[in-house]
């Protein structure tokens, strides 16, 4: 996948002119790259490399005017957020950047751009061209979120009632007394859940909220990187990263193959007060049952009652779902409308089984709920099946965003490639 974009900064007058023209003139038919940017896609779809950022691109968002904002996990050249402007070719030019902090969260709604570091959430005002008006003076919405250097990313999304939801990942694999030590049992009444392992709700328009000002909306979630608001169901959906190392930690209870296969990566539909059960349980996607975790007396066979919510859908283990997007556009065929795209970053801990993931999948929905089997939508980010199996992927999909024309943007946090997927079948 070659870099087909030359990066440059546009003069302010040229930027304003190009954005105004983009807003007034319907964009031309987007032509995919000859090799579809190296991706394998369903018939009728094509892909192009929209930009090469050279940074670790995490989540991204596209304004109604087509301006793309990309959050970098690490600051590059003093910038943690990149601004990309659309061109008539369907590609984008890197027109600048701002925000001297790394992180993951990126979202836009109602004229504001929201971005997160690993401890704070910021807000930037957008003008009528989709441009940030206060790049050096953002409003700080939330400050002081916990960061223990494990599952530290703070993904964000907004509802339609003025609330912002923030993931606060658990700083632990399974709440053991000694984290990731073989045979170590779980801490009673897991103290991690006092301040992490869930989703917190804050007011989207209230400045300088402290950690304690937020409400723990849902708990028992080990780590959520991908999340989105389902407009059809008017509900928060999240993707949990399941726990690791069943065999390594409890070799007398789990085989290496079982450790590679379980637990599921789960999608949850959340209501206020829900408890998904981490660290006390995990989900076995083959039995469709909630299992007692070995740290709390489980043996791979013991199930748990209905004290905890069931997942809305379950996927193979360890594939790391980092992006979730409900598709509301009109470019793609009708089957995709209101369904969910999920970006699986790819596994590292399925050995001796092949590593897995490194693709974007589609989960059909009906009436706001998963309906039918998921399917691989965009594959070969890794570069080859051999690279995927070994875990040495060229690219790893991370963030998802929908363009104003209905195209799908995908970020890669290995080399910083921004992909754009379109549908052109007549």
């Amino acid at each position: 996948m070659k870099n087909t974009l030359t990066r440059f900064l546009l003069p302010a007058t040229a930027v304003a002119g190009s954005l105004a023209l983009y807003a007034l003139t319907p964009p031309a038919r987007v032509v995919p790259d000859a090799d579809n940017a190296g991706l394998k896609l369903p018939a009728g779809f094509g892909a192009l490399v929209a930009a090469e950022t050279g940074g670790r691109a995490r989540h991204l968002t596209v304004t109604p005017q087509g301006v793309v904002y990309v959050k970098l996990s690490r600051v590059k050249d003093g910038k943690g957020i990149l601004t990309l402007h659309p061109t008539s070719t369907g590609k984008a030019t890197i027109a600048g950047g701002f925000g001297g902090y790394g992180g993951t969260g990126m979202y836009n709604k109602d004229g504001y751009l929201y971005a997160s570091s690993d401890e704070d959430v910021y807000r930037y005002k957008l003008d009528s061209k989709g441009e940030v008006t206060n790049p050096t003076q953002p409003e700080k919405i939330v400050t002081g979120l916990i960061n223990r250097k494990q599952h530290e990313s703070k993904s964000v999304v907004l509802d339609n009632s003025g609330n912002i939801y923030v993931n606060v990942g658990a700083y632990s694999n399974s709440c053991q007394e000694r984290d990731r030590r073989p045979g170590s049992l779980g801490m009673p009444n897991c103290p991690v859940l006092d301040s992490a392992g869930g989703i917190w709700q804050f007011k989207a328009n209230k400045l300088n909220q402290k950690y304690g000002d937020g409400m723990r909306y849902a708990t028992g979630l080990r780590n959520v990187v991908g999340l989105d608001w389902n407009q059809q169901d008017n509900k928060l959906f999240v993707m949990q990263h399941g726990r690791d190392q069943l065999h390594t930690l409890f070799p007398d209870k789990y085989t290496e193959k079982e450790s590679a296969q379980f637990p599921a990566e789960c999608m949850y539909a959340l209501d206020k007060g829900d408890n998904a059960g981490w660290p006390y349980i995990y989900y076995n996607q083959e039995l469709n049952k909630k299992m007692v975790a070995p740290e709390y007396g489980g043996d791979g066979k013991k199930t748990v009652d209905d004290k905890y919510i069931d997942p809305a859908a379950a996927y193979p283990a360890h594939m790391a779902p980092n992006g979730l997007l409900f598709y509301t556009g009109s470019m793609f065929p009708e089957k995709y409308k209101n369904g969910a795209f999920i970006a699986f970053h790819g596994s590292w801990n399925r050995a001796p089984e092949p590593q897995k993931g490194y693709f974007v999948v589609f989960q059909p929905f009906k009436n706001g709920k998963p309906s039918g089997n998921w399917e691989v939508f965009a594959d070969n980010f890794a570069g080859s099946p051999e690279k995927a199996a070994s875990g040495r992927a060229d690219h790893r999909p991370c963030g998802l965003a929908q363009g104003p024309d209905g195209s799908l943007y995908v970020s890669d946090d290995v080399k910083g490639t921004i992909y754009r997927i379109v549908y052109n079948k007549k």
Side-chain angles (χ1 to χ4, degrees):
M1 302 177 198
K2 297 180 180 179
N3 183 352
T4 58
L5 179 71
T6 301
R7 287 181 285 169
F8 58 95
L9 298 182
L10 295 174
T13 53
V15 169
S18 65
L19 286 173
L21 180 63
Y22 183 84
L24 293 173
T25 306
R29 183 176 184 266
V30 176
V31 178
D33 291 344
D35 65 346
N36 279 335
L39 301 183
K40 295 180 180 178
L41 300 162
F45 287 90
L48 58 154
V49 173
E52 294 283 15
T53 68
R56 297 190 175 185
R58 297 288 283 176
H59 285 179
L60 73 169
T61 190
V62 188
T63 71
Q65 298 83 4
V67 181
V68 183
Y69 291 98
V70 181
K71 190 75 194 70
L72 303 181
S73 65
R74 296 180 184 175
V75 172
K76 183 176 185 292
D77 300 327
K79 303 173 181 67
I81 301 171
L82 298 181
T83 305
L84 280 62
H85 286 158
T87 71
S88 60
T89 66
K91 295 183 181 290
T93 58
I94 299 177
F98 54 95
Y101 53 91
T104 291
M106 187 103 283
Y107 198 76
N108 87 88
K109 189 175 178 68
D110 298 334
Y112 283 94
L113 177 72
Y114 294 83
S116 70
S117 69
D118 292 337
E119 297 88 22
D120 307 306
V121 181
Y122 301 87
R123 184 173 78 164
Y124 300 84
K125 180 64 178 174
L126 297 170
D127 63 19
S128 61
K129 300 181 182 70
E131 291 288 299
V132 166
T133 63
N134 56 332
T136 62
Q137 296 179 314
E139 298 175 332
K140 186 174 283 188
I141 302 298
V142 184
T143 185
L145 298 171
I146 195 168
N147 177 8
R148 299 281 181 85
K149 308 301 181 182
Q150 183 177 180
H151 304 148
E152 67 272 16
S153 65
K154 303 298 184 290
S155 302
V156 300
V157 72
L158 278 75
D159 64 15
N160 300 314
S161 302
N163 300 304
I164 186 168
Y165 300 83
V166 185
N167 166 63
V168 183
Y171 48 91
S172 171
N173 174 43
S174 52
C175 208
Q176 291 174 284
E177 293 177 352
R178 294 182 299 161
D179 194 31
R180 298 182 185 268
R181 296 291 185 91
S184 180
L185 297 181
M187 290 184 278
N189 299 314
C190 178
V192 174
L193 294 174
D194 291 345
S195 57
I199 304 295
W200 265 252
Q201 182 193 71
F202 298 89
K203 294 297 181 183
N205 59 357
K206 184 178 179 180
L207 306 186
N208 299 312
Q209 295 169 88
K210 307 295 184 185
Y211 202 171
D213 297 329
M215 178 186 71
R216 183 165 53 187
Y217 188 79
T219 190
L221 293 157
R222 178 176 176 270
N223 188 36
V224 168
V225 184
L227 75 174
D228 198 13
W229 192 262
N230 186 333
Q231 300 295 334
Q232 191 177 35
D233 206 33
N234 198 33
K235 184 175 289 192
L236 176 64
F237 277 72
V238 304
M239 298 297 306
Q240 176 179 233
H241 284 222
R243 55 86 47 82
D244 304 320
Q245 300 174 304
L246 286 170
H247 171 74
T248 302
L249 300 177
F250 296 92
D252 58 327
K253 298 179 180 179
Y254 299 90
T255 65
E256 287 182 324
K257 187 168 185 177
E258 287 173 327
S259 193
Q261 291 176 328
F262 306 118
E265 306 282 47
C266 292
M267 172 190 284
Y268 288 100
L270 298 179
D271 291 311
K272 179 181 175 182
D274 277 347
N275 187 341
W278 180 91
Y280 309 114
I281 70 164
Y282 65 88
Y283 193 74
N284 182 314
Q285 70 273 27
E286 293 186 359
L287 298 176
N288 293 322
K289 290 183 178 180
K290 299 184 288 284
M291 316 297 292
V292 178
E295 291 83 0
Y296 293 91
D299 57 2
K301 302 178 181 64
K302 192 179 297 184
T303 60
V304 72
D305 59 22
D306 289 332
K307 180 179 179 181
Y308 307 107
I309 63 171
D310 288 319
Y315 307 88
H318 312 306
M319 296 199 308
N322 275 11
L324 175 65
L325 175 78
F326 287 102
Y327 186 78
T328 59
S330 56
M331 175 187 280
F332 292 3
E334 184 63 27
K335 68 170 276 189
Y336 295 97
K337 194 68 172 280
N338 297 313
F341 288 104
I342 307 165
F344 283 103
H345 193 243
S347 66
W348 60 268
N349 55 352
R350 296 187 80 252
E353 299 295 312
Q355 300 303 326
K356 200 168 186 177
Y358 319 103
F359 46 43
V360 175
V361 311
F362 176 70
Q363 171 64 64
F365 266 64
K366 185 176 181 180
N367 299 323
K369 295 176 175 57
S371 176
N373 295 328
W374 61 276
E375 59 194 56
V376 175
F377 175 75
D379 203 354
N380 202 42
F381 288 91
S384 71
E386 293 76 21
K387 288 181 178 180
S390 67
R392 298 193 302 271
D394 291 341
H395 302 268
R396 288 172 177 250
C398 185
L400 300 169
Q402 181 180 302
D405 64 345
S407 56
L408 179 69
Y409 288 79
V410 185
S411 64
D412 148 54
D413 68 357
V414 176
K415 297 180 181 177
T417 303
I418 306 300
Y419 299 87
R420 184 177 179 182
I421 299 174
V422 297
Y423 185 76
N424 283 326
K425 188 174 181 180
K426 295 180 180 179

